[in-house]
Amino acid sequence: MSIPCTLFLAFFTISGVLAQEAKTYKIRTVAFYNLENLFDTINDPLTLDDDRTPEGKDNWTKERYNQKVYNMSKVLSEIGSPDSQNSPDIIGLCELENRLVVEDLTNHPILREKDYGIIHFDSPDERGIDVALLYKKTVFLPTSFASLRLLLTNENEYRDYTRDQLVVGGILDGEEMHFIVNHWPSRSGGEARSKPYRIAAARLNKKIIDSITKLSPEAKIIGMGDLNDDPIDDSLKKILKTKGSVTDLVITDLYNPMETLYKKGIGSLAYRDRWNLFDQIYFTANIAQESPDQYRFWKAGVYSPSYLIDKKGQYKGYPLRTYAGGNYIGGYSDHFPVYIHLIKAID
């Protein structure tokens, strides 16, 4: 049985309406984290994982792997906790090699008592990296899941293998919810040259959302992932048609609270002294709008406590990553995690 965490607010704004009375709310947290190459130490002859082996360029030993699992478990247990006083209820993950490394995460003493379930499929990505979803078994009951392939071809008309998009449906505290976990193609080769790949990823994402809403027009859908695009880029604004304001949202709209954060200069990763907010969580309008006795969006954030920030050197102020400049520094990830809080009034 789950124990709700309560939050007492005298004044708060949801959907632009100021509520001036004290209420008690149950909070559920949905988070996403790019784990920055959580690989095991075993050489897989079918993928390009040679660097992340004991004999490889990164000298990826069991000790370093264990430290990485500890680091990731610590962060996952704390995302959004200043508000919720608990670990996230739903967590999307990317840049992980296989189910084994996810099991090592959920079985780590930091996370074991949280009793997370795992939904994972192997993707055809050339480096062997996948996406996955963790969920608290006491909170969410999966009823459907699928891994949908993103088919890409390069300029020479050869297949370009990348990550699948993971779709999970289920019941969250009695409410039907759907989650889509993404890791869209990178900007390798340049933003403009790689843009068509992310446009294709967005089209697949929209097709998934449209398919769900066709079957259930009132479906609540939350998409999340490392999109390798910012909230204002074409993949979000022109293909998914996300909106950055709750004003005048209609049922067919997607709301992206990360757009407001981005316009404030908040990012989840940095490159050449420029911040990007590639890690995003967006959702159908019915989650952004107030609804009696159901969960609704409260707030979004980038989780960046001081221990996740590099304090010195070339990457001062950046996320404290595992390797920097080719040297092992034993950090966390080159991305900060992101999250949203959903709240529901309780008696």
Side-chain angles (χ1 to χ4, degrees), residues 220-258:
K220 293 184 175 182
I221 306 169
I222 299 177
M224 68 186 87
D226 175 1
L227 309 183
N228 278 298
D229 267 342
D230 287 313
I232 61 170
D233 286 325
D234 287 350
S235 58
L236 278 300
K237 302 302 288 184
K238 292 186 177 181
I239 305 302
L240 289 179
K241 294 182 170 59
T242 55
K243 293 187 176 180
S245 171
V246 295
T247 305
D248 299 325
L249 281 177
V250 299
I251 189 67
T252 56
D253 287 334
L254 291 174
Y255 175 56
N256 187 357
M258 302 299 171

Side-chain angles (χ1 to χ4, degrees), residues 147 197 249 282:
S147 186
Y197 291 171
L249 281 177
Y282 50 94

Side-chain angles (χ1 to χ4, degrees), residues 62 79 95 105 110 156 167 176 179 198 204 232 259:
K62 189 67 174 177
I79 301 171
E95 285 206 15
L105 280 177
I110 293 176
N156 297 318
V167 187
E176 184 179 356
F179 300 94
R198 290 183 297 282
L204 174 59
I232 61 170
E259 186 173 329

Side-chain angles (χ1 to χ4, degrees), residues 9-13 18-22:
L9 298 176
F11 300 92
F12 64 93
T13 301
L18 184 65
Q20 299 186 19
E21 59 183 86

Side-chain angles (χ1 to χ4, degrees), residues 121-164:
F121 292 86
D122 285 316
S123 286
D125 181 83
E126 293 173 349
R127 293 199 297 132
I129 56 174
D130 306 327
V131 299
L133 185 83
L134 305 185
Y135 61 94
K136 285 183 177 175
K137 297 175 184 177
T138 55
V139 174
F140 182 70
L141 175 65
T143 56
S144 64
F145 39 86
S147 186
L148 301 185
R149 196 130 297 175
L150 176 59
L151 298 175
L152 300 175
T153 54
N154 60 26
E155 59 269 22
N156 297 318
E157 298 187 358
Y158 288 109
R159 174 83 181 274
D160 197 325
Y161 294 91
T162 189
R163 281 76 62 178
D164 293 346

